[in-house]
Amino acid sequence: MDWLVTAGTVLPMDAALTVHSPGAVAIQGSRIVAVGPAAELAKQYRPKRRLDRPQALLTPGLINAHAHAPMSLLRGIADDRRLDDWLENFIFPAEAKNVNRDFCFWGTQLACAEMLLAGVTTYVDMYYFEEEIARATKLAGMRAVLGQTMIQFPVPDAKDPAAARERCEAFFRAYDKDELITPAIAPHALYTNSEADLRAARALANRYGKPLVIHIAETRKERDDMQAKYGASPVATLARWGIFDGPTISAHTIWVDAEDIAILARHKVGLAHCPSSNMKLASGVAPVVAQRRAELRVGLGTDGPAGSNNDFHLLEELDLAAKLQKVTQLDPQLLGAKEVLAMATREGAEAVHLAKTTGSLEPGKAADLVLWNLATPNATPSFDPYSTLVYSAKSADVIDVFVHGRPVVRERRLLTLNQDAILAKARTLQQQIVLSLKK
């Protein structure tokens, strides 16, 4: 074995919700070979290296099912505004003046540093210059589904949707067999793309066997406007055009009814629930309980940090996702700690179409794992590991992180990225952004 990692408690997040206390994970190369009681694995294997954390909780790496990584450089640029106002009057103009290859490369490094230190090992992105985002993500050693944005007006990396598709096809070819990067196409939304362009995006994704990432039914206004324009809900309209006829990841998906949920379930669309973003923009509360009861796979996402959320701390989303369903439906038993942790791990992997690779600690899967320090005031005492992680633990409790069998965080220190250089570059770019907005 290359590694034997032991912990006070191991939550593999397999279908049986097994618990090993104390437990261990044996790693050979990039893959998990065995998971079980620590004493048994210690007798069975002679590893080259050991990592023993008797006061830690070991889980699969968290999966951020929806993000806009380079927007870390626009963090908090326009808070407390409606989505349409935020996009049209602040974000789109700021992006037009500032987003380029350098912006995306460094902004992604900043995002990856934050995510790794928060226990996120896999994320789904939607932005521009995705080849630069892929370069930075590989440098960080993270796993990602990276969606090249397609939108109906000129954007920093493409003058029109046809140019965006050309870029996307080149991206598909460049990362077709990559171990960490899954390239995708990401038409922004129904209201920002035509039927012809959406059909072309689906056809391109299917030709290369890649996912399609899209925002759907994020606001009531979007639902009502699309209903008036097309005579059907956004979900029904996209289904009629065949946009779900292939692997699809739908972000937000708040304003959907029972018929919409049935359509999404029939097409096995993965959902990305973003509670912080939905709350901050007053977009609404997604019917997550109904979606999961329909056997939809629902993951959790942070969204972007430029106003719709302000961080990439996915652990906060677990806590909020559970509490939002409880308080809006007046039932404290809905969406418990085990369920939301599954959404951030095993079900999240299914939602983003990576279930064969990651999401649980099982033999044959990639060794993506996180060790959480439970020897802290906020996590002591711990009567139930699921409850402790979801309702008590914080991102700062992350000690060690492995992705694809490789240590990327050790004792809260990034091993793959130069944090000082990233922060210095971010401050320089912030000054450039401020100056650009004054012109």
Side-chain angles (χ1 to χ4, degrees):
M1 288 301 100
D2 289 314
W3 283 95
L4 185 66
V5 183
T6 71
T9 300
V10 176
L11 301 181
M13 296 310 297
D14 54 9
L17 291 178
T18 309
V19 178
H20 301 291
S21 294
V25 177
I27 301 169
Q28 178 67 48
S30 63
R31 298 286 157 177
I32 295 170
V33 174
V35 182
E40 290 184 14
L41 268 63
K43 291 179 181 177
Q44 189 173 355
Y45 298 106
R46 293 186 178 275
K48 296 176 183 175
R49 287 160 289 187
R50 284 187 63 134
L51 180 61
D52 298 308
R53 299 290 191 201
Q55 293 184 305
L57 173 65
L58 196 162
T59 71
L62 303 183
I63 296 170
N64 186 348
H66 183 62
H68 307 283
M71 294 181 82
S72 61
L73 293 172
L74 299 174
R75 191 188 308 271
I77 197 170
D79 284 324
D80 307 322
R81 300 179 185 277
R82 297 186 316 274
L83 177 62
D84 53 347
D85 177 33
W86 175 74
L87 277 174
E88 294 168 14
N89 297 318
F90 295 91
I91 298 305
F92 290 155
E95 289 178 332
K97 294 179 178 180
N98 293 283
V99 175
N100 53 31
R101 290 182 178 277
D102 195 53
F103 179 101
C104 290
F105 178 65
W106 285 98
T108 300
Q109 286 190 71
L110 181 61
C112 288
E114 184 178 355
M115 283 191 276
L116 285 175
L117 290 170
V120 174
T121 56
T122 299
Y123 76 103
V124 178
D125 190 68
M126 175 193 284
Y127 210 62
Y128 311 109
F129 296 107
E130 285 293 338
E131 66 276 11
E132 295 298 326
I133 294 170
R135 186 163 69 96
T137 303
K138 292 273 286 184
L139 183 64
M142 287 187 74
R143 192 179 308 283
V145 177
L146 303 180
Q148 173 65 43
T149 293
M150 188 184 79
I151 202 164
Q152 64 193 7
F153 49 80
V155 291
D157 67 349
K159 63 180 180 179
D160 55 31
R165 289 193 297 274
E166 288 181 11
R167 290 184 58 83
C168 190
E169 185 164 12
F171 185 46
F172 283 175
R173 289 172 176 165
Y175 286 90
D176 187 39
K177 302 295 184 183
D178 197 272
E179 291 184 321
L180 293 175
I181 304 300
T182 300
I185 191 165
H188 176 264
L190 174 59
Y191 63 90
T192 51
N193 285 281
S194 69
E195 176 182 354
D197 286 328
L198 286 163
R199 287 181 180 273
R202 178 78 271 170
L204 179 61
N206 287 356
R207 187 155 66 248
Y208 284 87
K210 305 302 180 186
L212 181 147
V213 183
I214 186 170
H215 300 97
I216 300 178
E218 183 174 357
T219 65
R220 181 163 53 187
K221 183 180 186 301
E222 176 193 342
R223 181 201 62 185
D224 294 347
D225 287 352
M226 296 303 97
Q227 181 80 36
K229 183 175 183 178
Y230 296 112
S233 71
V235 168
T237 300
L238 291 166
R240 187 172 67 219
W241 296 346
I243 309 306
F244 300 143
D245 294 344
T248 306
I249 303 167
S250 171
H252 302 292
T253 328
I254 302 167
W255 293 93
V256 290
D257 58 20
E259 182 178 345
D260 292 329
I261 291 172
I263 291 171
L264 294 166
R266 189 159 58 248
H267 289 276
K268 300 186 186 321
V269 174
L271 305 186
H273 175 43
C274 305
S276 284
S277 173
N278 299 345
M279 293 168 67
K280 192 163 184 281
L281 294 171
S283 298
V285 180
V288 171
V289 172
Q291 291 167 345
R292 294 181 76 250
R293 284 175 178 165
E295 298 187 356
L296 275 164
R297 287 298 175 255
V298 185
L300 291 169
T302 58
D303 209 356
S308 57
N309 193 347
N310 288 60
D311 61 50
F312 291 106
H313 290 205
L314 194 73
L315 198 61
E316 294 176 1
E317 308 302 326
L318 278 72
D319 178 89
L320 289 174
K323 291 174 180 175
L324 264 180
Q325 297 302 308
K326 297 173 191 298
V327 71
T328 55
Q329 299 189 49
L330 302 179
D331 185 347
Q333 294 183 303
L334 292 179
L335 209 63
K338 291 179 181 179
E339 293 171 290
V340 290
L341 184 54
M343 290 169 65
T345 55
R346 185 182 70 253
E347 292 180 23
E350 293 171 352
V352 304
H353 309 286
L354 290 177
K356 292 181 180 179
T357 301
T358 190
S360 60
L361 304 178
E362 300 180 78
K365 287 196 174 184
D368 299 350
L369 53 92
V370 180
L371 286 140
W372 307 82
N373 182 16
L374 298 189
T376 61
N378 58 285
T380 304
S382 176
F383 295 104
D384 178 275
Y386 298 98
S387 175
T388 297
L389 186 60
V390 172
Y391 299 127
S392 302
K394 306 299 177 187
S395 295
D397 296 330
V398 170
I399 318 170
D400 308 290
V401 180
F402 285 70
V403 182
H404 211 61
R406 177 190 182 191
V408 291
V409 174
R410 173 67 57 80
E411 296 181 347
R412 288 207 60 74
R413 183 174 64 87
L414 290 165
L415 302 180
T416 53
L417 295 172
N418 185 330
Q419 181 171 312
D420 291 341
I422 293 167
L423 296 179
K425 182 69 173 182
R427 286 189 286 268
T428 298
L429 290 171
Q430 179 187 2
Q431 294 172 357
Q432 294 177 14
I433 292 164
V434 170
L435 290 174
S436 77
L437 296 178
K438 291 180 180 179
K439 297 177 182 178

